[in-house]
Amino acid sequence: MPIIKWTEELSVGVNAFDNDHKKLIELFNKLYDALSQGEANNLIPSVLKELSDYTKSHFKKEENVLVTNNYPGYLDHKKLHDEFVANLQDLQEKFQSGNMTLGVSMFNLLTTWIKNHIKQIDKKYTEYLNLKGIR
Ligand code: FEO
């Protein structure tokens, strides 16, 4: 059963980005499933990698649209993306080197970050992009 769900409340008014966010949420649920299983440690590195790769590709896509459209909040937005990617990378490295285990509390931190980012930061571009015909 999915632990987090995409709802209209998370819509940023741009179809391509809503679809990316749905996929990201699907990957978070996959990570949660891996955590919940007995053999979680075997699955976590590959799921973390998939999540990290998809997150990077989504951020890049979003950043390209923002910069191409001269979005005024671009630099601040990109800084938040960069910080999250660095945190994810740090987490992957620590996990791979055996310096940490990925628990539910870490999972909750990641999901809270992504949900808050979509709701509070991504949604700021909705009106701006919609006015430029991007939906
Ligand atoms: Fe949808 Fe700014 O990430």
Side-chain angles (χ1 to χ4, degrees), residues 21 58-59 62 77 81 117-118 121-122 125:
H21 294 149
H58 164 64
F59 284 173
E62 216 175 64
H77 200 136
H81 284 175
H117 181 79
I118 295 171
I121 308 297
D122 284 355
Y125 60 58

Side-chain angles (χ1 to χ4, degrees), residues 40-85:
N41 285 357
N42 297 330
L43 294 170
I44 289 172
S46 65
V47 182
L48 257 185
K49 182 174 179 343
E50 198 181 358
L51 180 64
S52 169
D53 289 349
Y54 195 84
T55 301
K56 283 186 226 167
S57 121
H58 164 64
F59 284 173
K60 206 155 266 314
K61 216 190 286 180
E62 216 175 64
E63 287 161 15
N64 282 341
V65 170
L66 296 181
V67 80
T68 306
N69 288 281
N70 302 311
Y71 176 62
Y74 168 73
L75 286 177
D76 288 342
H77 200 136
K78 182 174 176 5
K79 196 171 161 222
L80 293 170
H81 284 175
D82 291 347
E83 283 170 9
F84 188 67
V85 167

